[in-house]
Amino acid sequence: SSPKMAATLVVPSDITITEEKMKIGKRKVTLFENVGLLCMLPMLHIHQSKMDKYDMRAVLSKKYDADDTSNAADICRRRQESVRKSVLATPFMWGTAWTMTGFAWWSFRRYNYQSRLVALPFIFYGGTFVGRAVGDIVTGRNAEFARDRFLGALPAKAYYTSDDLFNPRDLWGKLGLKMVLAGILASIDG
């Protein structure tokens, strides 16, 4: 039996390591990507299962060789494009929610403030869903393949436990991303 660790260790995930290996320089994050990143709320990482805005900025700021035709470079470019579309769609979500809330406020202008205050939170919440759909359509995110969206949603960090640290046969960790990436590579080739 391996000794137990006192705390968990956060390490880069497999896809993050692949991105670091494949990058050739820094890419400038555009103005609209910066606005999209500013529109993202802070995230509390309990399981390291999602990317926060800092991880997304790290993905967007990597530059890859356009002439590289390897599968790893293709995966990195597809992931970056998926993250870019996700970031660009975020301001549409908030803009639509606030616009719908403003229209509801204006529509209720002849009513007392209590009736406005009852309706507005529901309108705002519904507006976030409508805004996500609008943002996905405007950025073309609704037309991307499911595997590209999956690549864009892979976490940038993972927890290592004591079993992962002391098992030399399992260098890829508990997530098994090596198998997932191999399946994606096989579907791209086939």
Side-chain angles (χ1 to χ4, degrees), residues 78-79 82 85 140-154 180 184 187:
R78 287 175 188 260
R79 174 176 162 84
S82 178
K85 287 178 181 179
R141 192 166 184 245
N142 64 329
E144 73 181 346
F145 291 108
R147 69 174 174 234
D148 294 344
R149 189 170 291 202
F150 172 76
L151 282 172
L154 285 174
V180 172
I184 292 171
S187 67

Side-chain angles (χ1 to χ4, degrees), residues 99-179:
T99 302
M100 287 177 63
T101 304
F103 284 152
W105 182 268
W106 185 80
S107 297
F108 281 67
R109 68 189 179 277
R110 299 199 187 278
Y111 296 91
N112 59 6
Y113 74 93
Q114 292 95 344
S115 59
R116 289 186 220 169
L117 293 178
V118 166
L120 293 183
F122 299 104
I123 300 292
F124 183 82
Y125 186 64
T128 60
F129 289 97
V130 174
R132 277 187 213 141
V134 169
D136 287 355
I137 291 169
V138 170
T139 60
R141 192 166 184 245
N142 64 329
E144 73 181 346
F145 291 108
R147 69 174 174 234
D148 294 344
R149 189 170 291 202
F150 172 76
L151 282 172
L154 285 174
K157 299 180 189 106
Y159 282 127
Y160 259 35
T161 61
S162 60
D163 296 334
D164 297 328
L165 289 175
F166 297 103
N167 186 357
R169 291 188 188 126
D170 188 12
L171 297 176
W172 292 88
K174 290 175 73 174
L175 293 178
L177 289 180
K178 183 177 182 182
M179 299 297 286

Side-chain angles (χ1 to χ4, degrees), residues 36-139:
L37 290 168
L38 282 173
C39 288
M40 292 187 176
L41 296 175
M43 185 177 297
L44 175 64
H45 289 289
I46 297 173
H47 299 290
Q48 294 291 345
S49 61
K50 293 183 180 180
M51 290 201 310
D52 59 6
K53 60 183 173 182
Y54 305 107
D55 297 333
M56 290 184 183
R57 181 179 298 279
V59 169
L60 291 173
S61 65
K62 291 182 175 92
K63 185 176 181 180
Y64 303 107
D65 186 9
D67 297 329
D68 189 358
T69 59
S70 68
N71 290 332
D74 184 48
I75 284 176
C76 291
R77 283 192 297 267
R78 287 175 188 260
R79 174 176 162 84
Q80 187 178 52
E81 181 63 19
S82 178
V83 169
R84 187 187 73 81
K85 287 178 181 179
S86 173
V87 166
L88 291 177
T90 304
F92 287 98
M93 176 186 70
W94 294 115
T96 304
W98 284 110
T99 302
M100 287 177 63
T101 304
F103 284 152
W105 182 268
W106 185 80
S107 297
F108 281 67
R109 68 189 179 277
R110 299 199 187 278
Y111 296 91
N112 59 6
Y113 74 93
Q114 292 95 344
S115 59
R116 289 186 220 169
L117 293 178
V118 166
L120 293 183
F122 299 104
I123 300 292
F124 183 82
Y125 186 64
T128 60
F129 289 97
V130 174
R132 277 187 213 141
V134 169
D136 287 355
I137 291 169
V138 170
T139 60

